[in-house]
């Protein structure tokens, strides 16, 4: 039996998309496939709410995260890294690996970044600010819009990971002044993993053009080939992506965001009724795409739910065993959430 | 109508594999999926003919090529780059982007590398030798075994791209002393693109361990997580890979190599009977997985075959318009080759 995936990515992939994956292979360098890539590109812009080009990269979301930093940050450049969970730490670690002059703004797990502290730390020397929108490790949503407003009038580029919010929660790449906006296929797109997305602003290009680039992630190559890709596209996944975008458009992006928010609120209410405590410090910073729950019985709950055919996620270090996370993203709807909550109730013997 | 793919990768993907791609998604961090990754890993070792671990990377073949060089070559390191076509040039360009002290051994397109010249160029300062086994751009197969013998007793690492030969032609990673052996999913594995493979020898690890690594391609991370992967696996493609490996095992690797060689010889004979000229300088250096043909009518032939529902590949720069290439790799068998040759005959009005 394949368990119901209630993890915060990868998530259930609807049959329509899975059928698209099985499409006979076509050659990736034909005009026909270029048209498919172009089609995906223009539809992705609508999901990203951007006029910038959205590039698709063969790889994981981390591929796009690395591309964003490697293309814009050189050794010695000052980077302000806002850290409030595991995936923000990844940004920090990538910046470190590049040899950036790193300033880390660390916030406690379960807390949202404090905008005032970011404002204080942001000086003229900062070349890039990294921030995660929806921290999958803690279930906290950060105020990207507020930080974007601060970064906008500085020389710094605003690099934002929206991997677990894009196509589920509201993300406004241009209105929020995100210069490099990163997403991935396996979260709210309800796609399998294997594609990273990355949009690039006009403010970012001069930096990218003037810098020595790594061979693999060089965005200049992506720009000159667009809508084609410098290296072989993951053809089957691109067929799946087209179908995923159709599903998103049929539902309507606004309605989709509304559904995610309602499902999140429904989940939070039910979880609290079961006597459980939400992990985020307050309700207003809770993610719309996953619910993280503080519990010393996390390991036991995970196993018991798995026996009932439902997979939720545990915590990531250092919160191992003290938290679990329920994903409600992409195609996951009220029936799957209710089934999960019912099983959770049984496990807790409420 | 989806055309018959007779290109040298991507190639037709059998229905069994396409069905596997549509498998419901499972979570990539479960013990069950770790077992699947482990299973793929041990079966890949047999295909690679190696005792070394074979890593799977989310991305294209180029991801694995970059990983091989970035992990072993530092700025200023002397790299001997054997170039006899487009994909060997890629190795050279990656080495350049790293800032290597590059020595390029350039051979004409259509020629195989001259082993004596390689022997002359190989001195104690060389840290890495890059070589393509099967040059997809020219249809030439190089003598990797001979070069491996030369590199073996030096301090240099032998980095070999077998992207378009692995699982089709004979590749003996260990016997040929290949330290970093690279393959990709979309060639003789008959899989869609999206996975790069990379095996790493005991000789290579001390170099990799002692060097500062890029965040994305760091093989130390791959080693410490194996059979898990540091970043999200392309789950659907891994299901496809399992099926692809089953198909390879059912046929038997030796028989599969034999079939590729017989099909290549059959194609060459038929092409010559049509009055066409093979692109490689001599028959003994012709690839077993594709046939490249010199013709000033290449563009016209490509278009006419496409109208007949058959896609073959043109040349890559600088040979544009002067050559075309027929792939006969993976699941492509005699019926598809005969259909292609029949259509080619009609186009040539023989």
């Amino acid at each position: 039996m394949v368990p119901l995936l209630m993890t915060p990515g990868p998530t259930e992939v609807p049959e329509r998309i899975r059928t698209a994956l099985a499409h006979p292979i076509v050659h990736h360098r034909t005009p026909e496939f270029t048209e498919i890539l172009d089609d995906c590109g223009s539809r992705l812009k609508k999901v990203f709410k951007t006029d910038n080009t959205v590039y698709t990269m063969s790889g994981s979301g981390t591929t796009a995260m690395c591309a964003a930093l490697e293309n814009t940050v050189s050794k010695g450049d000052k980077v302000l890294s806002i850290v409030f969970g595991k995936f923000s730490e990844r940004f920090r670690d990538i910046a470190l690996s590049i040899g950036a002059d790193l300033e880390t703004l660390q916030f406690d797990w379960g807390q949202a970044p404090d905008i005032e502290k970011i404002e204080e730390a942001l000086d003229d020397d900062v070349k890039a600010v990294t921030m995660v929108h929806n921290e999958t490790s803690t279930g906290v949503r950060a105020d990207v819009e507020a930080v974007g407003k601060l970064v906008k009038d500085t020389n710094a580029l605003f690099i934002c990971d929206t991997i677990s919010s894009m196509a589920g929660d509201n993300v406004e790449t241009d209105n929020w002044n995100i210069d490099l906006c990163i997403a991935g296929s396996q979260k709210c797109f309800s796609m399998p993993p294997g594609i990273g997305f990355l949009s690039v602003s006009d403010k970012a290009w001069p930096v990218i053009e003037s810098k020595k680039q790594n061979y693999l992630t060089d965005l200049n190559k992506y720009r000159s080939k667009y809508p084609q890709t410098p290296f072989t596209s993951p053809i089957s996944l691109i067929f799946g992506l087209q179908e995923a975008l159709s599903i998103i458009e049929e539902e309507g992006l606004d309605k989709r965001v509304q559904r995610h928010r309602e499902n999140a609120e429904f989940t939070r209410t039910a979880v609290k009724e079961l006597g459980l405590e939400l992990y985020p410090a307050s309700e207003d910073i809770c993610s719309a795409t996953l619910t993280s729950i503080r519990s010393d019985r996390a390991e036991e709950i995970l196993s018991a739910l798995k026996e009932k055919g439902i997979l939720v996620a545990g915590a990531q270090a250092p919160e191992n065993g003290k938290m679990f996370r329920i994903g409600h993203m992409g195609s996951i709807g009220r029936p799957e959430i209710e089934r999960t909550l019912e099983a959770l109730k049984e496990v807790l013997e409420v």
Side-chain angles (χ1 to χ4, degrees), chain A:
Chain A
M1 185 194 57
V2 178
L4 173 65
L5 263 190
M6 294 298 290
T7 47
T11 183
E12 292 283 321
V13 175
E15 201 178 341
R16 272 176 67 179
I17 296 176
R18 292 193 283 109
T19 303
L21 298 176
H23 188 284
I25 291 291
V26 302
H27 197 276
H28 59 299
R29 299 296 187 201
T30 53
E32 294 82 358
F33 194 72
T34 304
E35 221 169 90
I36 291 174
L37 289 172
D38 196 33
D39 174 61
C40 289
S42 32
R43 294 161 80 184
L44 281 166
K45 285 169 78 163
K46 289 177 195 152
V47 178
F48 272 61
K49 297 187 179 171
T50 186
D51 289 331
N52 301 325
T53 302
V54 182
Y55 299 95
T56 61
M57 309 184 124
S58 181
S60 64
T62 307
T63 306
M65 291 175 82
C66 285
L69 268 87
E70 289 178 359
N71 271 270
T72 55
V73 174
S74 299
K75 197 175 168 175
D77 281 353
K78 187 166 176 185
V79 171
L80 192 65
S81 194
I82 303 165
V83 176
F84 60 113
K86 197 78 186 169
F87 292 94
S88 349
E89 281 173 10
R90 181 162 294 182
F91 263 147
R92 179 199 64 194
D93 294 344
I94 298 169
L96 267 180
S97 78
I98 294 170
D101 171 17
L102 189 74
E103 183 173 348
T104 303
L105 282 178
Q106 177 77 51
F107 300 96
D108 287 343
W109 280 45
Q111 299 280 354
D114 180 336
I115 307 299
E116 276 181 31
K117 291 213 169 121
I118 297 169
E119 187 166 15
E120 279 165 28
L122 196 60
D123 62 41
D124 284 343
D125 296 336
V126 174
K127 296 284 174 64
V129 177
T130 69
M131 185 179 200
V132 170
H133 179 217
N134 194 66
E135 244 303 349
T136 322
S137 64
T138 64
V140 168
R141 176 176 51 192
D143 191 349
V144 169
E145 186 176 10
V147 178
K149 263 186 199 147
L150 297 175
V151 180
K152 186 190 173 194
D153 297 319
T154 70
N155 289 321
L157 297 176
F158 188 30
I159 303 177
C160 192
D161 162 359
T162 67
I163 290 176
S164 65
S165 54
M166 184 67 78
D169 201 355
N170 183 43
V171 178
E172 303 187 25
T173 305
D174 288 358
N175 286 341
W176 296 356
N177 303 295
I178 305 172
D179 293 301
L180 293 112
C181 189
I182 296 145
S185 55
Q186 79 277 20
K187 306 280 182 182
C188 303
F189 286 88
S190 266
M191 269 277 296
I195 314 181
F197 304 114
L198 180 57
S199 74
V200 184
S201 76
D202 288 341
K203 186 176 173 185
W205 279 117
V207 178
I208 297 167
E209 286 161 12
S210 64
K211 193 189 152 307
K212 194 185 167 304
Q213 298 299 350
N214 281 355
Y215 190 88
L216 187 64
T217 51
D218 184 357
L219 287 170
N220 297 300
K221 285 198 195 95
Y222 277 85
R223 180 158 64 161
S224 71
K225 299 277 185 191
Y226 186 85
Q228 268 292 345
T229 52
F231 314 118
T232 311
S233 276
I235 302 167
S236 308
L237 297 178
I238 298 291
F239 283 129
L241 175 61
Q242 272 198 311
E243 197 62 30
L245 289 165
S246 293
I247 291 172
I248 292 168
E249 288 159 11
E250 286 162 23
E251 181 174 15
L253 191 55
D254 290 346
K255 277 196 184 160
R256 192 175 175 90
V257 168
Q258 193 56 33
R259 171 171 64 83
H260 277 82
R261 291 184 171 181
E262 283 168 10
N263 282 342
E265 200 183 340
F266 176 80
T267 307
R268 287 196 299 271
T269 306
V271 156
K272 286 186 293 181
E273 277 173 14
L274 291 173
L276 291 167
E277 187 191 347
L278 297 175
Y279 186 83
S282 65
E283 196 111 357
D284 59 314
I285 58 167
C286 279
S287 162
T289 63
L290 73 142
T291 298
S292 59
I293 298 149
R294 194 183 297 273
S295 171
D296 288 336
R297 292 174 64 193
E299 290 301 321
E300 177 201 339
I301 291 169
L302 252 68
S303 307
L305 286 176
K306 193 172 180 182
E307 270 185 29
K308 289 174 182 289
I310 298 168
L311 206 66
V312 300
Q316 287 171 300
E319 293 292 347
N320 267 332
K322 292 182 272 183
M323 184 233 280
F324 67 99
R325 297 169 295 152
I326 301 172
H328 29 76
M329 43 177 71
S331 68
I332 294 293
R334 200 57 69 89
E336 291 85 2
I337 296 172
E338 282 173 355
R339 186 179 145 200
T340 305
L341 292 166
E342 195 53 48
L344 183 58
K345 192 176 173 183
E346 284 168 28
V347 169
L348 294 169
E349 296 167 316
V350 176

